[in-house]
Amino acid sequence: VMNITTPANFFHALRRQIHRDFRKPMIVMSPKSLLRHAKCVSTTEEFTKGTFQELIDDTYVDTKKVKRVNLCSGKIYYDLLEKQQEDSRKDVAIVRLEQIYPMPETQMEKLIKKYPNAEFCWVQEEPKNMGAWMHILRYDWARGFKEITRKSSASPATGYAAVHKKEQEAIIAEAFNV
């Protein structure tokens, strides 16, 4: 189960799927809005020399100064990235979980060790009772993670664009409130 954020990583996920010795269903939950997103691009080198990345760490931040790690998946990454770049925040890392299941546990454990003094948060657009948050809670390394989500709801969206925008802005603001 994947929520991929770059064209090259999507290409490599498909390529990996075909080249494996075994067949397993691959579910990709990436929204079509990323097809039009200006920052959702990959270089030619990422296609030709890269491989599938189950987890993508933040290269913008100063690792020693990181106070918070915002772990996310999918298009919310670009909202978080925009805020990080706009405010020049090198103390808040944004890490993308590209493969949600099977969970890249070894990589997650390495990531947690890389940022020993940081607070870890899971950030998602979906309400608390939807999205990947409930799945992430199953793992021991996620104990102590803070969730930054919409409140639990029976519906994935409010139905009002203005309310949705306000909730989205609140999620992004909270993600950088350190």
Side-chain angles (χ1 to χ4, degrees), residues 13-31:
L14 293 173
R15 192 166 176 259
R16 181 183 78 167
Q17 185 75 1
I18 294 299
H19 288 293
R20 282 194 162 162
D21 302 5
F22 56 92
R23 290 288 173 254
K24 237 183 200 182
M26 181 172 78
I27 301 165
V28 180
M29 300 184 299
S30 301

Side-chain angles (χ1 to χ4, degrees), residues 101 103 105 132-143:
Y101 185 85
M103 183 65 71
E105 291 188 70
W133 174 240
M134 293 297 174
H135 171 68
I136 286 170
L137 284 175
R138 297 175 183 180
Y139 297 93
D140 290 338
W141 48 258
R143 294 192 190 176

